[in-house]
Amino acid sequence: MERLILCGGGHVSLEAAYLAAHLEFEVTVIDDRAEFANRERFPMAAQVICAPFLEALDGLGSREDDYYVILTRGHAYDSDCLARILRGKYAYVGMIGSKVKVAAVMERMRALGFSPKTLDGVHSPVGLAIGAQTPAEIGISILAEIIAVRAKRGPALPPPPSEPGVLVTIVEKHGSAPRGVGTWMLVRPDGSCVGTIGGGAVEFQAKQDALSLLASGTRSARKGYDLSHAAAELGMVCGGSIVAEFQVR
């Protein structure tokens, strides 16, 4: 699961944390003030770390699917956090602030030797320009921007469980099919499933095909599914198609 790491536990962080949890991010909140970094304030977070920012970031390490939002109470803390994050791995880093504050932080980053290309990748001021004013609106603008970045990268999918069944994996996607290449569903011998390849009639048919494959003794297969037909039956204009690979485990 992708991590959303919020540097700062203020009002905007609180709104962003609630939204991120609904969007299936593993939320981590960092603040060096106990009144802002505690479980009562952030019950939805996987981790709440009350510690100096750099100490907390060092303890977390960095991963290629980490999303960072810097929302501290001052540009000195922002600068420290940004420098530490840019030296590691990340999928996204955004920083709140006025144009003057952002310019000052970026000047310091240039002085530290970060390249223009690296700094151009920082989303700052953070969030989509939707005229957000309140903490809730700013939180929405931030998560909307993160959703856009995540959509371009593709979701970080967990590995399928190592148990008997038929692993159904999307290997091709065309048009507006809801799930992308690499999405999987494990169909157990009893017909129960783990994961999803998009739901609806196509997923139901893929499940039946998986059970038939299991009964036949065949070890693998590849099948195509046209979502446009199912969408038309429901009066929808979306559709597309997928090709799924079946592997008996």
Side-chain angles (χ1 to χ4, degrees):
M1 182 181 289
E2 299 125 315
R3 296 191 298 184
L4 177 69
I5 301 170
L6 298 166
C7 298
H11 300 310
V12 174
S13 286
L14 185 60
E15 300 292 345
Y18 275 113
L19 292 167
H22 283 297
L23 294 168
E24 300 182 343
F25 282 95
E26 178 185 307
V27 179
T28 296
V29 181
I30 302 168
D31 204 297
D32 58 357
R33 301 166 293 175
E35 64 270 29
F36 287 93
N38 59 74
R39 280 285 173 194
E40 291 72 24
R41 182 170 172 79
F42 288 98
M44 78 302 287
Q47 292 188 82
V48 181
I49 304 173
C50 184
F53 290 107
L54 295 185
E55 177 184 319
L57 289 170
D58 287 341
L60 288 170
S62 66
R63 306 189 310 214
E64 291 181 354
D65 59 353
D66 282 340
Y67 291 72
Y68 292 91
V69 182
I70 302 172
L71 303 159
T72 78
R73 61 188 181 277
H75 67 269
Y77 295 106
D78 290 345
S79 293
D80 289 343
C81 289
L82 183 58
R84 168 61 183 80
I85 292 163
L86 293 179
R87 292 189 179 103
K89 301 174 183 178
Y90 56 88
Y92 169 96
V93 55
M95 182 179 67
I96 202 167
S98 65
K99 290 183 179 180
V100 173
K101 174 184 172 181
V102 171
V105 172
M106 291 303 175
E107 181 60 33
R108 184 181 175 192
M109 295 302 103
R110 285 189 287 270
L112 290 173
F114 290 104
S115 69
K117 181 179 179 180
T118 296
L119 298 181
D120 286 345
V122 177
H123 297 263
S124 191
V126 69
L128 297 183
I130 59 174
Q133 297 292 325
T134 67
E137 291 174 345
I138 296 169
I140 290 169
S141 75
I142 292 170
L143 267 299
E145 185 172 70
I146 288 174
I147 289 168
V149 171
R150 182 165 69 170
K152 288 181 181 179
R153 288 174 51 84
L157 298 172
S162 55
E163 57 181 283
V166 181
L167 184 63
V168 185
T169 307
I170 296 177
V171 294
E172 293 181 26
K173 169 187 171 177
H174 305 282
S176 57
R179 297 283 175 159
V181 172
T183 304
W184 57 264
M185 173 178 70
L186 179 69
V187 182
R188 298 187 178 106
D190 65 0
S192 62
C193 299
V194 181
T196 179
I197 58 170
V202 168
E203 181 167 296
F204 176 80
Q205 186 59 54
K207 174 183 171 181
Q208 301 310 307
D209 291 340
L211 292 173
S212 296
L213 187 72
L214 198 59
S216 71
T218 307
R219 302 298 299 176
S220 65
R222 182 177 285 221
K223 294 180 177 291
Y225 299 94
D226 184 1
L227 282 73
S228 300
H229 177 68
E233 290 181 342
L234 296 172
M236 300 166 64
V237 296
C238 61
S241 64
I242 60 170
V243 176
E245 186 173 80
F246 294 71
Q247 289 287 339
V248 176
R249 307 177 65 174

